[in-house]
Amino acid sequence: MSLATQAPPPVAPARPDDDGPVGRTGRSRRSRFTRHVLLCLVGAVMMYPLLWLVSSSLKPNGIIFTDLSLWPARWDLSNYPEGWTALEHPFSLYLVNSLVIVVLSIVGNLVSCSLAAYGFARLNFTGRKLFFALMLGTMMLPGHVLLVPQYIVFAKLDWINTYYPLLVPNFLATNAFYIFLMVQFMRALPRELDDAARIDGCGPFRTFWSIIMPLSLPAFATTAIFTFISVWNEFFGPLIYLTDSELYTVPLALRQFIDSEGQSQWGQMFAMSFLSLAPVIGFFIAGQKYLIKGIATTGLK
């Protein structure tokens, strides 16, 4: 019988340990499972402070630092109603104050920083690269270096104990990080859009309003979320410029629960701290999709 008519030798089935498709699939599944387990462990470690905060807000003040379990041995729900009215003013006043400052700060940063970023990213003018470099250089200046000059300027303007020192800089494009973020996003947009708008008779502002701004919504959402978190949690600025307790923000209000003589109401402070985190978490969840898209597509060009 000729070699051409001989049947080919049988092929052994691939085992999961082989380098074939089955083996690679098995290793891929084990790798994904390992990564998921590690992510869950890291997530649990990161969530522990928040869980401890919630648990401490439900414990009596005397056992917060002695009962280390996350499940309270004794429950005390009075921390929330008592903490709401424990200070000179109801805690709702401080929430409203912070909300007003946050909303106006977001509007100021979005308007001023987006216009500055549009000029750097899409317009050609003399000294653009120099001004852009100077703008980036301001990111290297520590905030405490500018504290005394800014305080003197605001004091000369009679703005102390008002919200103007906390709001006006946001309307003047003073945050170089947000400008840089928007510049990188706008640079990735096709230049043909500007040419088409120019042919249709659009000027620079109309091009920005009708074309660039709608396409830059992810960058706008990222800026809004970062502004919300930073302004809502800011403690030093309100501490320096606000002296009237009626104007206090949430961080300053939480500081009032700590008594220098050791009579701090920790349970009430933790309860109000948890309530103050709710707006930040809600705003982050609402804009998470745009935040991820804005960061992922920034700087592609």
mmCIF file of all heavy atoms in Angstrom, residues 26-54:
data_model
loop_
_atom_site.group_PDB
_atom_site.id
_atom_site.type_symbol
_atom_site.label_atom_id
_atom_site.label_comp_id
_atom_site.label_asym_id
_atom_site.label_seq_id
_atom_site.Cartn_x
_atom_site.Cartn_y
_atom_site.Cartn_z
ATOM 1 N N GLY A 26 -7.886 28.673 29.615
ATOM 2 C CA GLY A 26 -7.876 28.380 31.046
ATOM 3 C C GLY A 26 -7.006 29.340 31.831
ATOM 4 O O GLY A 26 -7.386 29.832 32.898
ATOM 5 N N ARG A 27 -5.804 29.612 31.287
ATOM 6 C CA ARG A 27 -4.925 30.553 31.977
ATOM 7 C C ARG A 27 -5.522 31.949 31.991
ATOM 8 O O ARG A 27 -5.375 32.701 32.964
ATOM 9 C CB ARG A 27 -3.560 30.565 31.297
ATOM 10 C CG ARG A 27 -2.714 29.326 31.614
ATOM 11 C CD ARG A 27 -1.268 29.573 31.247
ATOM 12 N NE ARG A 27 -1.124 29.845 29.823
ATOM 13 C CZ ARG A 27 -0.932 28.900 28.894
ATOM 14 N NH1 ARG A 27 -0.888 27.633 29.266
ATOM 15 N NH2 ARG A 27 -0.804 29.229 27.621
ATOM 16 N N SER A 28 -6.213 32.339 30.888
ATOM 17 C CA SER A 28 -6.837 33.661 30.843
ATOM 18 C C SER A 28 -7.928 33.786 31.902
ATOM 19 O O SER A 28 -8.053 34.816 32.557
ATOM 20 C CB SER A 28 -7.414 33.921 29.448
ATOM 21 O OG SER A 28 -8.086 35.153 29.393
ATOM 22 N N ARG A 29 -8.713 32.737 32.082
ATOM 23 C CA ARG A 29 -9.772 32.773 33.096
ATOM 24 C C ARG A 29 -9.180 32.865 34.495
ATOM 25 O O ARG A 29 -9.670 33.616 35.338
ATOM 26 C CB ARG A 29 -10.649 31.532 32.967
ATOM 27 C CG ARG A 29 -11.526 31.517 31.707
ATOM 28 C CD ARG A 29 -12.331 30.233 31.616
ATOM 29 N NE ARG A 29 -13.190 30.233 30.441
ATOM 30 C CZ ARG A 29 -13.931 29.202 30.065
ATOM 31 N NH1 ARG A 29 -13.913 28.075 30.789
ATOM 32 N NH2 ARG A 29 -14.686 29.273 28.979
ATOM 33 N N ARG A 30 -8.121 32.069 34.756
ATOM 34 C CA ARG A 30 -7.490 32.134 36.071
ATOM 35 C C ARG A 30 -6.883 33.509 36.321
ATOM 36 O O ARG A 30 -6.940 34.041 37.434
ATOM 37 C CB ARG A 30 -6.430 31.043 36.190
ATOM 38 C CG ARG A 30 -6.986 29.627 36.310
ATOM 39 C CD ARG A 30 -5.910 28.666 36.767
ATOM 40 N NE ARG A 30 -4.833 28.551 35.784
ATOM 41 C CZ ARG A 30 -4.809 27.678 34.790
ATOM 42 N NH1 ARG A 30 -5.820 26.820 34.660
ATOM 43 N NH2 ARG A 30 -3.810 27.633 33.955
ATOM 44 N N SER A 31 -6.313 34.097 35.269
ATOM 45 C CA SER A 31 -5.729 35.431 35.416
ATOM 46 C C SER A 31 -6.797 36.477 35.718
ATOM 47 O O SER A 31 -6.605 37.338 36.590
ATOM 48 C CB SER A 31 -4.971 35.805 34.142
ATOM 49 O OG SER A 31 -4.457 37.107 34.222
ATOM 50 N N ARG A 32 -7.932 36.407 35.010
ATOM 51 C CA ARG A 32 -9.020 37.345 35.281
ATOM 52 C C ARG A 32 -9.560 37.162 36.692
ATOM 53 O O ARG A 32 -9.853 38.138 37.388
ATOM 54 C CB ARG A 32 -10.134 37.176 34.248
ATOM 55 C CG ARG A 32 -9.787 37.692 32.860
ATOM 56 C CD ARG A 32 -11.049 37.909 32.053
ATOM 57 N NE ARG A 32 -11.800 36.681 31.886
ATOM 58 C CZ ARG A 32 -11.654 35.829 30.868
ATOM 59 N NH1 ARG A 32 -10.774 36.108 29.917
ATOM 60 N NH2 ARG A 32 -12.368 34.732 30.790
ATOM 61 N N PHE A 33 -9.703 35.907 37.107
ATOM 62 C CA PHE A 33 -10.214 35.644 38.452
ATOM 63 C C PHE A 33 -9.263 36.202 39.505
ATOM 64 O O PHE A 33 -9.694 36.815 40.499
ATOM 65 C CB PHE A 33 -10.393 34.141 38.645
ATOM 66 C CG PHE A 33 -10.846 33.750 40.034
ATOM 67 C CD1 PHE A 33 -12.161 33.920 40.417
ATOM 68 C CD2 PHE A 33 -9.937 33.240 40.954
ATOM 69 C CE1 PHE A 33 -12.579 33.578 41.694
ATOM 70 C CE2 PHE A 33 -10.350 32.895 42.227
ATOM 71 C CZ PHE A 33 -11.669 33.064 42.596
ATOM 72 N N THR A 34 -7.953 36.027 39.287
ATOM 73 C CA THR A 34 -6.969 36.549 40.236
ATOM 74 C C THR A 34 -7.026 38.069 40.302
ATOM 75 O O THR A 34 -6.979 38.667 41.382
ATOM 76 C CB THR A 34 -5.563 36.090 39.834
ATOM 77 O OG1 THR A 34 -5.523 34.663 39.772
ATOM 78 C CG2 THR A 34 -4.532 36.583 40.847
ATOM 79 N N ARG A 35 -7.147 38.716 39.137
ATOM 80 C CA ARG A 35 -7.227 40.174 39.118
ATOM 81 C C ARG A 35 -8.483 40.659 39.829
ATOM 82 O O ARG A 35 -8.445 41.655 40.566
ATOM 83 C CB ARG A 35 -7.194 40.688 37.674
ATOM 84 C CG ARG A 35 -5.840 40.581 37.001
ATOM 85 C CD ARG A 35 -5.775 41.483 35.784
ATOM 86 N NE ARG A 35 -6.771 41.110 34.792
ATOM 87 C CZ ARG A 35 -6.547 40.269 33.775
ATOM 88 N NH1 ARG A 35 -5.349 39.701 33.651
ATOM 89 N NH2 ARG A 35 -7.497 39.988 32.905
ATOM 90 N N HIS A 36 -9.597 39.976 39.615
ATOM 91 C CA HIS A 36 -10.836 40.382 40.265
ATOM 92 C C HIS A 36 -10.736 40.242 41.783
ATOM 93 O O HIS A 36 -11.222 41.113 42.536
ATOM 94 C CB HIS A 36 -12.009 39.563 39.736
ATOM 95 C CG HIS A 36 -12.368 39.900 38.325
ATOM 96 N ND1 HIS A 36 -13.154 39.076 37.542
ATOM 97 C CD2 HIS A 36 -12.036 40.953 37.543
ATOM 98 C CE1 HIS A 36 -13.301 39.623 36.343
ATOM 99 N NE2 HIS A 36 -12.634 40.753 36.322
ATOM 100 N N VAL A 37 -10.106 39.161 42.239
ATOM 101 C CA VAL A 37 -9.940 38.968 43.682
ATOM 102 C C VAL A 37 -9.073 40.076 44.274
ATOM 103 O O VAL A 37 -9.384 40.642 45.325
ATOM 104 C CB VAL A 37 -9.331 37.585 43.967
ATOM 105 C CG1 VAL A 37 -8.948 37.458 45.437
ATOM 106 C CG2 VAL A 37 -10.324 36.486 43.594
ATOM 107 N N LEU A 38 -7.972 40.402 43.577
ATOM 108 C CA LEU A 38 -7.090 41.464 44.066
ATOM 109 C C LEU A 38 -7.813 42.813 44.087
ATOM 110 O O LEU A 38 -7.669 43.600 45.030
ATOM 111 C CB LEU A 38 -5.838 41.545 43.198
ATOM 112 C CG LEU A 38 -4.873 40.356 43.302
ATOM 113 C CD1 LEU A 38 -3.718 40.522 42.326
ATOM 114 C CD2 LEU A 38 -4.343 40.215 44.726
ATOM 115 N N LEU A 39 -8.604 43.099 43.040
ATOM 116 C CA LEU A 39 -9.349 44.358 43.006
ATOM 117 C C LEU A 39 -10.373 44.425 44.123
ATOM 118 O O LEU A 39 -10.581 45.490 44.724
ATOM 119 C CB LEU A 39 -10.025 44.523 41.648
ATOM 120 C CG LEU A 39 -9.113 44.823 40.455
ATOM 121 C CD1 LEU A 39 -9.910 44.836 39.158
ATOM 122 C CD2 LEU A 39 -8.415 46.160 40.649
ATOM 123 N N CYS A 40 -11.027 43.296 44.407
ATOM 124 C CA CYS A 40 -11.991 43.272 45.507
ATOM 125 C C CYS A 40 -11.305 43.523 46.851
ATOM 126 O O CYS A 40 -11.832 44.244 47.704
ATOM 127 C CB CYS A 40 -12.735 41.939 45.534
ATOM 128 S SG CYS A 40 -13.878 41.701 44.142
ATOM 129 N N LEU A 41 -10.120 42.938 47.033
ATOM 130 C CA LEU A 41 -9.390 43.155 48.280
ATOM 131 C C LEU A 41 -8.961 44.615 48.423
ATOM 132 O O LEU A 41 -9.101 45.215 49.495
ATOM 133 C CB LEU A 41 -8.172 42.227 48.340
ATOM 134 C CG LEU A 41 -8.470 40.729 48.465
ATOM 135 C CD1 LEU A 41 -7.184 39.926 48.425
ATOM 136 C CD2 LEU A 41 -9.235 40.437 49.747
ATOM 137 N N VAL A 42 -8.437 45.174 47.330
ATOM 138 C CA VAL A 42 -8.027 46.585 47.372
ATOM 139 C C VAL A 42 -9.243 47.486 47.607
ATOM 140 O O VAL A 42 -9.184 48.452 48.377
ATOM 141 C CB VAL A 42 -7.299 46.972 46.071
ATOM 142 C CG1 VAL A 42 -7.029 48.471 46.024
ATOM 143 C CG2 VAL A 42 -5.991 46.199 45.951
ATOM 144 N N GLY A 43 -10.373 47.160 46.940
ATOM 145 C CA GLY A 43 -11.589 47.939 47.149
ATOM 146 C C GLY A 43 -12.080 47.860 48.583
ATOM 147 O O GLY A 43 -12.549 48.865 49.144
ATOM 148 N N ALA A 44 -11.967 46.690 49.206
ATOM 149 C CA ALA A 44 -12.390 46.548 50.603
ATOM 150 C C ALA A 44 -11.515 47.388 51.521
ATOM 151 O O ALA A 44 -12.010 48.021 52.471
ATOM 152 C CB ALA A 44 -12.340 45.075 51.012
ATOM 153 N N VAL A 45 -10.206 47.412 51.242
ATOM 154 C CA VAL A 45 -9.304 48.239 52.059
ATOM 155 C C VAL A 45 -9.637 49.719 51.899
ATOM 156 O O VAL A 45 -9.643 50.486 52.870
ATOM 157 C CB VAL A 45 -7.841 47.963 51.676
ATOM 158 C CG1 VAL A 45 -6.911 48.934 52.379
ATOM 159 C CG2 VAL A 45 -7.458 46.534 52.026
ATOM 160 N N MET A 46 -9.942 50.139 50.675
ATOM 161 C CA MET A 46 -10.267 51.545 50.437
ATOM 162 C C MET A 46 -11.627 51.925 51.019
ATOM 163 O O MET A 46 -11.845 53.079 51.404
ATOM 164 C CB MET A 46 -10.244 51.836 48.933
ATOM 165 C CG MET A 46 -8.879 51.654 48.295
ATOM 166 S SD MET A 46 -8.895 51.961 46.522
ATOM 167 C CE MET A 46 -9.307 53.706 46.487
ATOM 168 N N MET A 47 -12.547 50.977 51.078
ATOM 169 C CA MET A 47 -13.873 51.252 51.621
ATOM 170 C C MET A 47 -13.912 51.211 53.142
ATOM 171 O O MET A 47 -14.864 51.717 53.747
ATOM 172 C CB MET A 47 -14.880 50.237 51.068
ATOM 173 C CG MET A 47 -15.257 50.446 49.613
ATOM 174 S SD MET A 47 -16.215 51.949 49.385
ATOM 175 C CE MET A 47 -17.707 51.527 50.275
ATOM 176 N N TYR A 48 -12.890 50.648 53.767
ATOM 177 C CA TYR A 48 -12.928 50.482 55.222
ATOM 178 C C TYR A 48 -13.086 51.814 55.968
ATOM 179 O O TYR A 48 -13.892 51.898 56.909
ATOM 180 C CB TYR A 48 -11.679 49.746 55.703
ATOM 181 C CG TYR A 48 -11.641 49.588 57.207
ATOM 182 C CD1 TYR A 48 -12.377 48.576 57.832
ATOM 183 C CD2 TYR A 48 -10.890 50.451 58.007
ATOM 184 C CE1 TYR A 48 -12.366 48.433 59.212
ATOM 185 C CE2 TYR A 48 -10.873 50.316 59.383
ATOM 186 C CZ TYR A 48 -11.606 49.306 59.980
ATOM 187 O OH TYR A 48 -11.599 49.172 61.339
ATOM 188 N N PRO A 49 -12.341 52.887 55.617
ATOM 189 C CA PRO A 49 -12.554 54.155 56.356
ATOM 190 C C PRO A 49 -13.983 54.669 56.271
ATOM 191 O O PRO A 49 -14.518 55.177 57.273
ATOM 192 C CB PRO A 49 -11.570 55.124 55.676
ATOM 193 C CG PRO A 49 -10.518 54.244 55.091
ATOM 194 C CD PRO A 49 -11.232 53.003 54.658
ATOM 195 N N LEU A 50 -14.606 54.539 55.092
ATOM 196 C CA LEU A 50 -15.993 54.992 54.970
ATOM 197 C C LEU A 50 -16.920 54.128 55.806
ATOM 198 O O LEU A 50 -17.832 54.652 56.485
ATOM 199 C CB LEU A 50 -16.413 54.961 53.497
ATOM 200 C CG LEU A 50 -17.859 55.378 53.201
ATOM 201 C CD1 LEU A 50 -18.108 56.816 53.657
ATOM 202 C CD2 LEU A 50 -18.175 55.225 51.717
ATOM 203 N N LEU A 51 -16.708 52.814 55.788
ATOM 204 C CA LEU A 51 -17.549 51.930 56.598
ATOM 205 C C LEU A 51 -17.351 52.209 58.086
ATOM 206 O O LEU A 51 -18.309 52.177 58.864
ATOM 207 C CB LEU A 51 -17.211 50.469 56.277
ATOM 208 C CG LEU A 51 -17.506 50.019 54.839
ATOM 209 C CD1 LEU A 51 -17.071 48.574 54.636
ATOM 210 C CD2 LEU A 51 -18.984 50.173 54.520
ATOM 211 N N TRP A 52 -16.104 52.482 58.475
ATOM 212 C CA TRP A 52 -15.854 52.806 59.875
ATOM 213 C C TRP A 52 -16.527 54.118 60.263
ATOM 214 O O TRP A 52 -17.040 54.264 61.374
ATOM 215 C CB TRP A 52 -14.347 52.902 60.115
ATOM 216 C CG TRP A 52 -13.983 53.119 61.557
ATOM 217 C CD1 TRP A 52 -13.791 52.168 62.517
ATOM 218 C CD2 TRP A 52 -13.784 54.386 62.208
ATOM 219 N NE1 TRP A 52 -13.492 52.750 63.721
ATOM 220 C CE2 TRP A 52 -13.474 54.126 63.563
ATOM 221 C CE3 TRP A 52 -13.837 55.702 61.778
ATOM 222 C CZ2 TRP A 52 -13.210 55.132 64.474
ATOM 223 C CZ3 TRP A 52 -13.581 56.716 62.687
ATOM 224 C CH2 TRP A 52 -13.268 56.432 64.007
ATOM 225 N N LEU A 53 -16.535 55.096 59.338
ATOM 226 C CA LEU A 53 -17.210 56.366 59.599
ATOM 227 C C LEU A 53 -18.705 56.155 59.812
ATOM 228 O O LEU A 53 -19.288 56.702 60.767
ATOM 229 C CB LEU A 53 -16.968 57.320 58.436
ATOM 230 C CG LEU A 53 -17.726 58.655 58.474
ATOM 231 C CD1 LEU A 53 -17.219 59.514 59.616
ATOM 232 C CD2 LEU A 53 -17.581 59.387 57.145
ATOM 233 N N VAL A 54 -19.325 55.366 58.951
ATOM 234 C CA VAL A 54 -20.756 55.092 59.090
ATOM 235 C C VAL A 54 -21.028 54.352 60.392
ATOM 236 O O VAL A 54 -21.981 54.669 61.126
ATOM 237 C CB VAL A 54 -21.262 54.291 57.881
ATOM 238 C CG1 VAL A 54 -22.735 53.940 58.054
ATOM 239 C CG2 VAL A 54 -21.063 55.077 56.591
#
